[in-house]
Amino acid sequence: MALLEGKTAVITGGSTGIGFATAKRFIEEGAYVFITGRRQAELDLAVKELGDHTTGVQGDVSKAEDLDRLYSVVAESGRRIDVVFANAAILEVARIGEITEEQLDYQLGVDFKGVVFTVQKALPLLNDGGSVILNASTTAVRGNDAIGVYGAIKAAVRSFARTWALELRDRGIRVNSVSPGATDTPGIETLARMLFDGQPDSREQFENYQRSIVPMGRFGTPDEVAKTALFLASDLSSFTTGADIPVDGGINQI
C-alpha cells in the first residue's frame, strides 16, 4: 500500500524546487496535494506536470488573505488535511551594515510570519494525528557569510517545531523540521549571483565552494529532501516529533 494513500497534503512554495519535488513524491505515494506559488505561470506548469491529483492556489504566504483563500479552496473541496509542509521561503543576501528595512520586512514576512500562519490557519482543517513539516536549514546552526537574517529566521523555524510539537501533542499532531543544505534548486542560481557579484561563472564558483566544504562533495537534489519529507509525512515516522532531520551532505554533522 502506498505510504500516503487517501491522504491530503498542503505544500506551500510547491511550484518549483523542493516543494515541487515533494508534491511529486506525495502524489506517487497516493496523496492529493494542494500547492501554492506566487507566480501563476510557474504554478500552472507545475499543476500540469503533477496531474489530476493536484490543485494549485496562487498566493504569497506573507499575506493573510492569500492563506485564507488557500484554506477556503481546501475546505470547499470537501477535504480535510493530513499533512502540511510549510516550505515556502525566500533568501536575501546582505551583510551586517548593508541590511535594509525593506529586505528585513520581506524576509520576515515570508520566512517567519508565513510559516506561523501557514500552520495556524491550517489547524481547523488538520486531522488529529496529522503531520506538520517545517522547512528549516543548515544555516540555523552555523554562521554563513551574508545570509545572517535567513539563518536567524531558520533557527526560529527550528524552535517552532519543538514548541508546536508540545502544543499539538493532545491532538496527536506531530511537528518536525527538515534542514536542507545547499540544494540544486532555482534559488541556487540567484544565491550564487548574489554571493559572487553577478560574475558569469558565479554558479561554477559557488559549486566549487560547496564541494570544498560539504563532505559528500556536491549539492543535494530536491528529491533527496522530498524523500525525507515523505518519511516525516507518513506513518514511518509515527514516533518522531519535535525533531529536525538534516539533509546536508554531512556539512553540519562531521
Side-chain angles (χ1 to χ4, degrees), residues 28 55 86 96 117 119-120 140 157 206 211 217-219 233 248:
E28 288 172 353
T55 295
I96 189 64
F117 289 109
V119 176
Q120 181 165 292
V157 170
F206 188 50
R211 286 198 188 102
R218 61 175 177 85
F219 289 145
D248 64 0

Side-chain angles (χ1 to χ4, degrees), residues 130-153:
S131 173
V132 173
I133 307 162
L134 311 179
N135 199 350
S137 170
T138 56
T139 63
V141 296
R142 62 183 285 133
N144 289 270
D145 184 29
I147 54 174
V149 170
Y150 180 80
I153 294 171

Side-chain angles (χ1 to χ4, degrees), residues 37 42 45 47 86 101 105 164 212 220 231:
E42 288 186 357
L45 286 173
V47 169
E101 186 174 2
D105 287 345
W164 296 345
S212 73
F231 167 74

